[in-house]
Each structure stands twice: as structure tokens, then as C-alpha cells.
Amino acid sequence: MFLTLLAIATILGSVALAAIFSVVYTSEVASISLDSFGGDEEMKPMQDKPEVTALLKRNYNLIKNGANAFLLREYYYMGVFVVGFAALLVVVLGTGHNWASGIFSALSFVAGSLTSILSGYIGMSIAVFANARTTVSCVDSIGSGFNTAFKAGSVMGFALVASSILVLFGIVLLFHLYYKDAFTNKESDFDTRMMFEAIAGYGLGGSSIAMFGRVGGGIYTKAADVGADLAGKVEAGWEEDDPRNPAVIADNVGDNVGDIAGMGADLFGSLAEASCAAMVIASQSEVLRQEWAYMAFPMLLMSAGIVVCFLTTFLATHINPVRDMQSVEPVLMAQLVVSTILMTPAAWVVCAIFLPSEFAVPGKEGIKNWHVFICVASGLWSGLAIGKLTEYYTSNAYQPVKDVALSCAQGGAAPNIIYGLALGYKSCVFPVMLLALNIFISYYLAHMFGVAVSALGVLSTLAIGLTIDAYGPITDNAGGIAEMSGFPEYVRERTDKLDAAGNTTAAIGKGFAISSAAMVSLALFGAFVDTVGLTSVDLLQPLQFAGLLVGAMIPYWFSAMTMKSVGMAANAMVEEVRRQVKALKGNTDDSKNGGDDDWRVFGNELSEARRNVQVWQNKVKQMESKKSDEQKENPCDTKAEQYSKCIQIATDASLQEMIAPGCLVIFTPIIVGFFFGVEALAGLLAGSLVSSVQMAISASNSGGAWDNAKKYISGQNLHVPVNGVEKRIIKKTKIYHDVHNASVIGDTVGDPLKDTSGPALNIVMKLMAIISLVFGPSFPSIKQGGLIAQFLEAA
């Protein structure tokens, strides 16, 4: 009884700590006013110009309203799905297993879905609330801007982890009222195993919402980003976040709905699924299922993580704060390293207190509590190592990205694409080896329970990981708002430095996400095979091998659908930006859109030379006229209506295109399980897991490398050999224009890879596994085979 009370107090205490911490930081961010700002002497004259404040508020409200409008429409679609799928769960599990299982699985599914929606919405709300305030804080100093963005990110990180633990805690308590034989060794329809199989629906709800959030948000943000880059930067020649670019607001909205709301739902799904997998496996242990505290081990480990992350944040805000531009990245990096170091002894304490000295799980006898600690520590440190490897392959501080940037100068866009793809493929080698080593250690020490707690080890510092992930889009938006509102150049320089550091640490976060997804998927796979009674997956059997091939194909089919969706939406965005650019410039030339000049047959050299002279004379007149017009008008005075069309295009395309990929992933395991049997489904899950891991790593790293190669070039850091002498490529030169355009093309190819298909593949492998686990009891048994096999035997 004492141990149970101590466990409950630990869980509720950590949740209360996170809630208080989030409220305090929210109030500190809210105390920053958008109506007045101090800062350097250069900013003092701007205070007498009310148009700066007016533009700041206008751009802030445009981003906020666009993000809210998208999420409300997306959540309507999700609400319809949740109701329909919950009904399907009740019917399928009720008829195929028992009605109590169907009803309680549906209830936990709804709870997981609502918590996932809430997590995404909280993250998006605080990010939008903080972006303009970060801009204002950067007027004061770069340290003030960092603190604002970091504190806002902390609110998302701690609120998400605390809400996921609290809801899961409440579900366990409520379900125990019905499953009266839980936490005993009695075997009945009301025992511990039956209860936690129903609770697995919590992870299913979180991952289902994450699928639609990641795909929908990813299509939105990359359609806007690609449209803004191709039509705004390459064709119109505008800089990043130029207010004349009609897609720039949609691009900033996309950072919030994709990189914040989608990411929040994704990582909540990982946490919920890892917890459910560990609990389902533990419920099959005679020792663990007798004690409430033992079964609550996943929640206790994450509670310890909240305390560790809480202490770690003070390193960035009080002990070693940001004082200049050079200290931003080291401060962020210290958050990841220090939280990992502190979490290691904290994990030992949790394992020593809240696990028995020795226990057994299906497939493994004699597991010690220190064995479990090694599994947790293995996941914790391998996650950091994979994150650092991801940084090596995607940061422009290291040679791989510098080689990609140099290829733009040596051969243009084509070598850039080739180098980027090669980098992505090569970047799979060491992370996969680390994953394999981690899986071997965990499985050897504690079977599938070890794999599940290893996944929890990767996620144990999730509050800090989410803080840094949310920090990046906030500072990115802050820079865009500074540019669009007419702030001095030094403000944009500060926000860009904050954003650059965030991009580096975000790459590490993606490594964490991929490694945790792989471990969670394998843990769920283990829980599934235990639930349906499979002892092995024999690849010499035709059904298993066929399932393996089909499963390995699913990620490619899914990626094709999401990539094409981004391309279609981006095409519509480019056309709209071109139309508005032509209207802005007073240009009716249709040459960028298949005009008559594109189809003209070339004449002889003399006639072509004469024609080119005339063309350039006309261009000089247009440029002189444009320069005169620009001196008369403020480019920041772009009308709100000019942005709304691009926002509408991105919203409509993302909501329409997210449905088909989601249905592919959700219904494939259900169809295979019923029609071909659980043996074929086991092969399907294995193939999907192996294929998704490789594709997710290569897609994310290729896209990240192209993105940072472009930033390396635009930062005027690229040097090329010319006649044996290294020369730096600087702006306003023809070679810079050509090299930068080649890098932009690579970046636009990589955008849907790193921000749509790549991150969504993490959910593909998890979602297929959790669906199989939840529906597993209703599938035909191994002896029966699938419905097709039964039909053939009957015939």
C-alpha cells in the first residue's frame, strides 16, 4: 500500500509541478507588450512611428487567425473520424472479442484522440502568442529574445508531457472500477491483462490524430514554403519573408500548424504508445501485475523526467543564460546533454524503488531491476547519440553539408540533388547500427519489456526535447514578423541567429523522434505477437514473406501520396503568387506561365541578337519604373487580402490530401489481419518497420542538408577555388545568384522530404503496430487463419 501511495504522489506531484511551471512561464511571456518597446538607439526613432506597431499587430493577427482557422477545420474532420472509428472499435471488438473490451477500448481511444488534439492546440497557441513578443524582446537584446522563445517552448513541452501522464493516470483509475480483478493474479474477463489491452486504445487515439496532424500540417507548411521560394525568391528575386510575397503569411502559419501542432501530436503519440506497450507486456507478468506501482512504471519514469527537465531549464534561463550571439547554440545544446546526464541516475532511482528485485515476462525469466535500468539508459544515451549523428549530417558546421553547398557552385542544381540524396542514404548507416545495438541489449536483458522501456528512455527527457523543437518555429516566425513589420536590420540578425541555433538542435530532435519511433514500433510489435499468441515470424512461410514484402512497400506508397500532395498544392500556390506578382509589377507578360514567347522558334544569330537588345532595353525601362514606384510606397503595406488567397489554397489542399494517406495506414493492418490472418500481419508489420526507419532517416537528413546548404550559401560562407585561390561567394554577384538558385531548388525538393513524408513515416510504423495490437483479439486465431484461408478450405 505504501508503494502505491508513493507512486501516486510522485505522479501527481510531477504533474502539478509541470502545470505550475507552465502557468508561470505563460504569464511571463504575456507580460511582454506589443504596444511599446525599448532597445538600441537605432530603435528610438521607430517608437514615434505608429505604423511599425500597427504592422506588428497586423502580421501577428494574420498568423494567429490563419493558424486557428486551419486547426478548427482540421479538428472538424478529425472529430468525424474519431466518432466513426470509435464506433468501429466497439462493433469489431465487441463481436470478435467481447463487448466490454470494445466499449473500453473505444473510450480510451477517444481520450487519447482528445488529449492529442489538446496537445497540438496548446503548443500552437503558445507559439503564435509568443512569436511577435519574441520579435519585441529581440529589440532589447538577443538574450531577452531567447528567453521569450525558450519559455514559450517550455510551456508546450511541460504541458504536453504532464497532460499525457495525467490522462493516462485517470484512465487507469477509472477502468479499475470495472476491471475489479486487476492488480491481482486472478485470470478472468476483468483481470489486469484485459484492462491494459483496452487501455492500449489510448495510444491508438494519440497516434491516429498525429497521423492526420503531421500529414495535413506538413502539406500546408511545405506547399506555402515551396510556393514562396520558387515564385517569390527565384522568380521575383525577393529576400526571405519579403512582405510583398503573398505566400509569406501562409509560410509562417505553416510553421505553427506543421512544426508545432503536428509535432506535438506526433510526440504525444510516441509517449502514449510506448507507455501502453510497456503496460500491456507487464500485465502478462505474474509479479508485475499484482502491484499498482509496478504497472505504473512508465508514468513514474516520465514523472522523474519532468523533474529532471524542470531543473535543467534553469541552466538556460538563470545559471548560464544567453549573453551574445555566439552563446545561443551552446546553451541549447547543454539542455540536451545535461538533461540526459541528470536523467541517468533518476532512472536508476525509479527502477530501484518502483520495480521488484526480480521478475519474469513472457519469454524471459530472472529479470533484475538493474537490467531494466540498463535498458532505459541504453535508450536514453542511444537517442542522444543518434541525435548528434543527425546533427553531423545536417548542420552546415560540418563537412557533409559543406560538400552539398560546394556542389551547387561546381555543377548547379543537378549535382546538389545527387549529393543530397547520397548524404541521406549514407546517414542511415550508423544510426541503424546504434538502433540494432540498443535493441539487442534491451531484448537480451528483458525481452520485449526491455525494448518498451528503452523506448521510454529515449522519451524520458521529452519535455526538454519539445521545448527546443517548439523554440525553432517561434524564432523563425519572429524573424518573419520583424521583416514584414519594418524593424531595423539588427533585430532580424538577432532572430536569424536564434533560428539558426534552433535548426541545429531541431535536427537532433528529429534523430530522437526517429529512434523513439523505431523502438516504440518494435515494442508494440512484441505486445501484438504476445497478445495473439505468435511465438515466431517464419520468413520461410509464404504468408509471412508476402506480408514482409507488402509491408516494406507501404512506406513508399505513403511517401508517394504525401509528396505528390505537396507538389499539387505548391503548384497552385506558385500560380497564385505569380498572378499577384504580375499585378504588383503591372506586368502582363505570360512568359512564366507558358506564354507565346516560350513557343517561338529561334531565328538566325543576327535576328536573335537584335531581338535581345530590344528585350533588355524594355527591361531597363521596367526596372527604372519599378525603382521609382518603390521609392513612393512602403513594401510593408501589402494588403491583408493579398495573403488570404494563399492561406486558403494551403488550407484546402492540406485538408483534402491528408485523408487518403491516413486511410492507407489505418486500414491496411485491419484488412490484412482479417482476410489473411495474424501471421501475414506480423510479416507486414516487420516489413513496414524496417522500411520506414531507413526512409525516415534518409528523407529527413537529405532535406535538412539541402536546407542548411542553402543557408550556408545565403550567409556568404561558401568559398570556391578559382585559379588555385579560395574566393568567397558574396551577394549581388552573378555567381551568387546562380549558386543560390541551385541551392533553393535543392531546398524545395527537400522540403516535403524533411517536413512532410519523413516525419510522418515515424507515425506510419507506430500506427500500424498499435492498430494491430488493439484489434488483435478480434482477428481470426492462428489455427483459423484469415477469412480467405477459411473460405478456400470450406470450398
Side-chain angles (χ1 to χ4, degrees), residues 664-711:
L664 170 69
V665 176
I666 289 170
F667 292 107
T668 296
I670 297 174
I671 293 170
V672 171
F674 277 111
F675 286 93
F676 298 95
V678 292
E679 292 178 316
L681 180 54
L684 180 90
L685 296 179
S688 172
L689 168 59
V690 171
S691 182
S692 293
V693 169
Q694 323 292 333
M695 288 190 68
I697 295 173
S698 64
S700 295
N701 289 350
S702 288
W706 281 317
D707 183 21
N708 284 319
K710 179 195 71 173
K711 290 174 180 173

Side-chain angles (χ1 to χ4, degrees), residues 28-293:
E28 289 186 12
V29 173
S31 67
I32 300 169
S33 173
L34 299 182
D35 292 311
S36 61
F37 29 81
D40 297 356
E41 289 298 320
E42 188 180 346
M43 199 67 205
K44 296 294 171 62
M46 301 294 291
Q47 296 178 4
D48 299 326
K49 294 184 178 182
E51 61 268 23
V52 175
T53 302
L55 284 170
L56 174 74
K57 289 183 177 180
R58 184 202 70 165
N59 294 324
Y60 162 73
N61 285 319
L62 283 171
I63 294 171
K64 181 180 72 172
N65 294 336
N68 282 329
F70 171 78
L71 284 187
L72 287 175
R73 285 189 59 188
E74 184 181 50
Y75 290 160
Y76 171 78
Y77 283 86
M78 290 179 179
V80 173
F81 165 78
V82 168
V83 172
F85 201 77
L88 180 67
L89 271 172
V90 173
V91 172
V92 172
L93 289 177
T95 56
H97 189 38
N98 65 65
W99 288 103
S101 176
I103 292 170
F104 282 99
S105 294
L107 289 174
S108 59
F109 167 77
V110 172
S113 300
L114 294 177
T115 309
S116 184
I117 288 173
L118 179 65
S119 300
Y121 187 76
I122 289 173
M124 190 277 296
S125 297
I126 189 62
V128 171
F129 184 71
N131 54 20
R133 288 168 172 81
T134 301
T135 305
V136 172
S137 298
C138 282
V139 173
D140 235 359
S141 68
I142 191 169
S144 297
F146 174 86
N147 283 339
T148 302
F150 184 82
K151 287 176 180 179
S154 298
V155 173
M156 177 186 178
F158 283 87
L160 185 148
V161 175
S163 62
S164 65
I165 294 172
L166 183 62
V167 174
L168 182 57
F169 174 78
I171 290 173
V172 172
L173 292 184
L174 289 174
F175 280 24
H176 187 28
L177 298 176
Y178 176 81
Y179 290 94
K180 55 183 181 295
D181 291 334
F183 309 114
T184 69
N185 262 329
K186 295 181 181 178
E187 293 188 6
S188 68
D189 288 342
F190 309 97
D191 62 11
T192 308
R193 177 171 178 168
M194 296 294 291
M195 185 177 87
F196 282 99
E197 284 180 3
I199 288 175
Y202 180 67
L204 173 58
S207 204
S208 299
I209 296 302
M211 170 59 71
F212 292 114
R214 261 300 192 189
V215 173
I219 293 172
Y220 186 111
T221 185
K222 290 304 108 181
D225 197 3
V226 171
D229 281 355
L230 290 182
K233 289 183 186 176
V234 176
E235 294 181 5
W238 291 330
E239 292 293 329
E240 184 87 16
D241 294 316
D242 191 302
R244 292 168 294 181
N245 191 334
V248 71
I249 291 292
D251 189 9
N252 282 278
V253 170
D255 290 337
N256 293 288
V257 300
D259 295 338
I260 297 286
M263 175 198 64
D266 179 6
L267 290 174
F268 163 76
S270 290
L271 178 55
E273 287 164 321
S275 301
C276 291
M279 287 175 163
V280 169
I281 296 171
S283 69
Q284 300 169 35
S285 166
E286 292 185 2
V287 175
L288 295 181
R289 68 189 179 196
Q290 295 184 68
E291 173 59 54
W292 193 94

Side-chain angles (χ1 to χ4, degrees), residues 237-558:
W238 291 330
E239 292 293 329
E240 184 87 16
D241 294 316
D242 191 302
R244 292 168 294 181
N245 191 334
V248 71
I249 291 292
D251 189 9
N252 282 278
V253 170
D255 290 337
N256 293 288
V257 300
D259 295 338
I260 297 286
M263 175 198 64
D266 179 6
L267 290 174
F268 163 76
S270 290
L271 178 55
E273 287 164 321
S275 301
C276 291
M279 287 175 163
V280 169
I281 296 171
S283 69
Q284 300 169 35
S285 166
E286 292 185 2
V287 175
L288 295 181
R289 68 189 179 196
Q290 295 184 68
E291 173 59 54
W292 193 94
Y294 299 161
M295 292 301 302
F297 177 78
M299 292 185 282
L300 291 161
L301 188 65
M302 296 309 300
S303 298
I306 287 178
V307 177
V308 165
C309 293
F310 169 75
L311 296 174
T312 307
T313 56
F314 288 103
L315 189 68
T317 56
H318 294 82
I319 300 172
N320 184 32
V322 170
R323 293 183 173 88
D324 51 43
M325 289 191 179
Q326 285 67 43
S327 62
V328 178
E329 189 170 325
V331 168
L332 283 175
M333 197 66 67
Q335 291 291 296
L336 295 170
V337 176
V338 171
S339 62
T340 302
I341 293 171
L342 293 179
M343 188 62 209
T344 304
W348 164 248
V349 171
V350 173
C351 292
I353 295 176
F354 296 108
L355 283 177
S357 58
E358 185 173 337
F359 62 95
V361 295
K364 185 71 174 179
E365 301 283 341
I367 301 173
K368 313 287 188 183
N369 54 14
W370 62 267
H371 290 169
V372 177
F373 164 71
I374 292 175
C375 296
V376 174
S378 175
L380 179 65
W381 284 94
S382 68
L384 181 63
I386 291 171
K388 293 295 289 182
L389 282 169
T390 306
E391 179 199 4
Y392 173 74
Y393 282 107
T394 58
S395 172
N396 53 32
Y398 301 101
Q399 197 59 43
V401 172
K402 292 180 180 179
D403 290 341
V404 173
L406 185 60
S407 71
C408 296
Q410 292 175 332
N416 182 28
I417 302 297
I418 294 168
Y419 269 69
L421 288 174
L423 180 149
Y425 298 149
K426 186 178 180 181
S427 69
C428 293
V429 177
F430 291 109
V432 169
M433 288 182 177
L434 278 172
L435 279 173
L437 178 63
N438 185 27
I439 289 167
F440 174 78
I441 292 171
S442 302
Y443 188 87
Y444 177 79
L445 290 174
H447 208 255
M448 280 299 179
F449 183 72
V451 175
V453 297
S454 182
L456 287 167
V458 179
L459 295 165
S460 58
T461 56
L462 182 59
I464 285 294
L466 279 167
T467 297
I468 294 174
D469 281 341
Y471 159 92
I474 292 171
T475 54
D476 190 8
N477 267 206
I481 290 173
E483 184 77 21
M484 291 185 288
S485 304
F487 278 72
E489 185 63 27
Y490 79 89
V491 177
R492 182 61 195 257
E493 288 175 2
R494 289 172 177 175
T495 60
D496 282 352
K497 187 62 181 178
L498 294 174
D499 184 31
N503 286 336
T504 301
T505 48
I508 298 177
K510 287 183 179 179
F512 271 104
I514 294 169
S515 58
S516 66
M519 298 300 293
V520 168
S521 301
L522 184 58
L524 291 168
F525 177 76
F528 162 73
V529 296
D530 285 344
T531 299
V532 298
L534 272 174
T535 55
S536 64
V537 180
D538 188 355
L539 296 182
L540 296 178
Q541 298 299 316
L543 269 179
Q544 284 94 321
F545 189 74
L548 186 77
L549 287 177
V550 174
M553 172 273 298
I554 293 294
Y556 289 90
W557 190 0
F558 175 86

Side-chain angles (χ1 to χ4, degrees), residues 758-783:
L761 286 171
N762 297 339
I763 307 173
V764 169
M765 47 182 153
K766 295 183 299 182
L767 184 53
M768 292 180 71
I770 190 75
I771 285 176
S772 303
L773 172 61
V774 172
F775 282 89
S778 65
F779 291 145
S781 67
I782 299 172
K783 291 182 179 180

Side-chain angles (χ1 to χ4, degrees), residues 73 220 643-653:
R73 285 189 59 188
Y220 186 111
Y643 300 123
S644 61
K645 181 62 177 175
C646 290
I647 293 174
Q648 190 65 39
I649 289 171
T651 300
D652 292 343

